[in-house]
Amino acid sequence: MDNSPDLPGCSYLNPERTLGEIQINLLECKVCFEPFNFQQRGRRPQNLSCGHVLCLECITALSHPLLGKLECPFCRQLCSVDSTSPCQALNDLQELVLSRRPSSPDRPRRTSGLTCAALQLQTSFGGWGTLVNPTGIAALGTSGTLVIVHDGEKRVVVFNLLGRKLHSFGKKGKAVGEICYPMDVAVTPAGYVVVTDPGDRAVKVFTSRGNHLITIKDFLQLPWGVDTHISGHLLVSDAQAGVLFRIKVDYTQRVVVESQKAISDLQCPRAVACCRVTGNTAVMEHPTDITERRPYRRLRVFTKDFHLLYQTDSFSLTLQSTVQLNMSAVIFDEDRDVIVADPDQGLIWSLGKLKNGPVLAPLVGNHLIRPVGLVLLNDMLITLDGGDHTVKIFSNKLD
């Protein structure tokens, strides 16, 4: 009998799954995503002087041909190629994993009609260089186009579902049409791209091709999360003011028609999501007056008129699970269930409709490092993983 103290009703951290996670998260290069191979010179793992590990081929590709130095893609420390050394620990770990790897993994047990890691990874794309510390993701209609904000030289990148980069815009800076530090992104029904820029204390609106329309900043202190209400208004959380703003924009005239404090008693609100079916709004709070070391998050759900329906928090959710549940990104699915990302555990959870209390069900338990953004599109759950700077697409297909 498996008594692993992890996800309710399934063996997320049983030995077989743990070996699989080791292979994915430790035994592959996080730049090219190729498995380390000690038999192939270019795929051998090498220690940089900063402590991070890359394959020899990526070190060669990233280093300056004359200076013999490279900037670590993870901590940005300048490292000398001559100071790299073989990572013997990973060599030993790989031999151990290969010797313990079972020929046929156990079938996952079921819980409440869902299998542990019920959604399967279909594809992933991005990686360091293509994406740099991404923080927000949104879908451009139902065509399969994804809009992502990150810390690259051009802050907004547009991809198709195959991972092909279509175009990018929003040069780094504070001038008109530039973005200082993007945090979140939303797309309006008309296809306008809305970016929160706490670095410039502003919300910036662009066309889908990247033409700047308007910058909103007069009443904002630290804009963070953004989504569109079913009325067409923008919903913007202000982490410093503790307010959720409801903003009406005339995109043709490029002016703010109306701005209201929809909710004004929030504590450091960040992620925000609106249900396309009911108009209910979910807001993720990060209270700052908690003295406990573990992260404390509070999730509140409001009606379309912004009356409180129900709330839960990370402490209450942890009591229902054997993991210390954290929460970051939040969305609603087509059945009005609330879905949250857990960046600490690398998990995606469904909380149900929360009306009679949360019902925890794991949706994704593999292949994620630090999920920071979620999108539902055409029966696919698309996750933005800040841990390895990738987009990962999950579905319940078996192929």
Side-chain angles (χ1 to χ4, degrees), residues 27 29 55 59 69 72 83 89 98 100 107 110 117 125 129 156-157 169 210 240 244 279 292 302 339 362 365 386 396:
L27 297 180
C29 177
C55 70
I59 290 177
K69 296 180 182 296
C72 173
S83 66
L98 291 177
R100 299 290 182 88
R107 185 181 301 274
R110 291 185 175 272
F125 58 85
V156 184
V157 189
F169 59 88
Q240 184 169 324
L244 180 71
E292 297 184 25
F302 300 84
I339 297 174
N396 55 11

Side-chain angles (χ1 to χ4, degrees), residues 158-187:
V158 182
F159 294 92
N160 65 17
L161 289 179
L162 298 177
R164 178 187 174 191
K165 180 179 175 181
L166 303 179
H167 62 95
S168 59
F169 59 88
K171 184 179 178 181
K172 180 179 179 180
K174 292 187 177 182
V176 175
E178 297 180 343
I179 302 172
C180 181
Y181 186 79
M183 184 56 64
D184 199 8
V185 62
V187 178

Side-chain angles (χ1 to χ4, degrees), residues 10-11 31 38 81 103 187 194 197 238 243 272 299 310 330 341 343 351:
C10 65
S11 52
V31 174
F38 291 86
V81 175
S103 58
V187 178
V194 185
D197 186 356
D238 191 317
V243 171
V272 56
L299 175 65
Y310 32 75
V330 57
L351 304 184

Side-chain angles (χ1 to χ4, degrees), residues 326-393:
N326 188 8
M327 294 184 288
S328 58
V330 57
I331 56 173
F332 292 90
D333 68 11
E334 294 180 352
D335 293 327
R336 298 171 290 171
D337 290 349
V338 178
I339 297 174
V340 298
D342 184 340
D344 289 353
Q345 305 292 333
L347 302 172
I348 306 297
W349 296 85
S350 171
L351 304 184
K353 295 178 175 57
L354 291 180
K355 184 175 182 179
N356 298 315
V359 180
L360 283 167
L363 296 181
V364 178
N366 293 309
H367 305 295
L368 292 175
I369 300 175
R370 187 171 62 87
V372 295
L374 297 171
V375 168
L376 275 173
L377 180 64
N378 302 330
D379 297 324
M380 296 179 292
L381 178 62
I382 303 173
T383 302
L384 186 63
D385 195 332
D388 56 8
H389 321 279
T390 60
V391 176
K392 296 173 181 175
I393 301 178

Side-chain angles (χ1 to χ4, degrees), residues 275-286:
C275 178
R276 301 298 167 223
V277 179
T278 63
N280 291 347
T281 298
V283 181
M284 189 74 68
E285 297 175 274
H286 294 224

Side-chain angles (χ1 to χ4, degrees), residues 43-177:
R43 295 300 175 201
R44 294 173 184 171
Q46 296 288 113
N47 293 306
L48 298 180
S49 57
C50 61
H52 290 105
V53 180
L54 303 180
C55 70
L56 183 58
E57 187 172 306
C58 286
I59 290 177
T60 303
L62 294 174
S63 61
H64 192 283
L66 298 179
L67 299 178
K69 296 180 182 296
L70 74 152
E71 184 181 81
C72 173
F74 306 108
C75 67
R76 300 188 180 182
Q77 180 176 323
L78 192 63
C79 303
S80 172
V81 175
D82 292 337
S83 66
T84 62
S85 60
C87 186
Q88 186 60 39
L90 287 185
N91 184 20
D92 297 341
L93 180 61
Q94 188 174 60
E95 290 182 357
L96 179 63
V97 169
L98 291 177
S99 66
R100 299 290 182 88
R101 192 67 178 168
S103 58
S104 58
D106 294 338
R107 185 181 301 274
R109 300 189 322 211
R110 291 185 175 272
T111 171
S112 303
L114 289 173
T115 60
C116 182
L119 300 180
Q120 304 301 316
L121 178 66
Q122 301 299 314
T123 186
S124 65
F125 58 85
W128 184 270
T130 303
L131 293 174
V132 182
N133 298 326
T135 53
I137 184 171
L140 185 59
T142 58
S143 63
T145 303
L146 301 174
V147 183
I148 298 167
V149 291
H150 72 140
D151 197 26
E153 185 60 30
K154 289 189 177 180
R155 305 307 218 179
V156 184
V157 189
V158 182
F159 294 92
N160 65 17
L161 289 179
L162 298 177
R164 178 187 174 191
K165 180 179 175 181
L166 303 179
H167 62 95
S168 59
F169 59 88
K171 184 179 178 181
K172 180 179 179 180
K174 292 187 177 182
V176 175

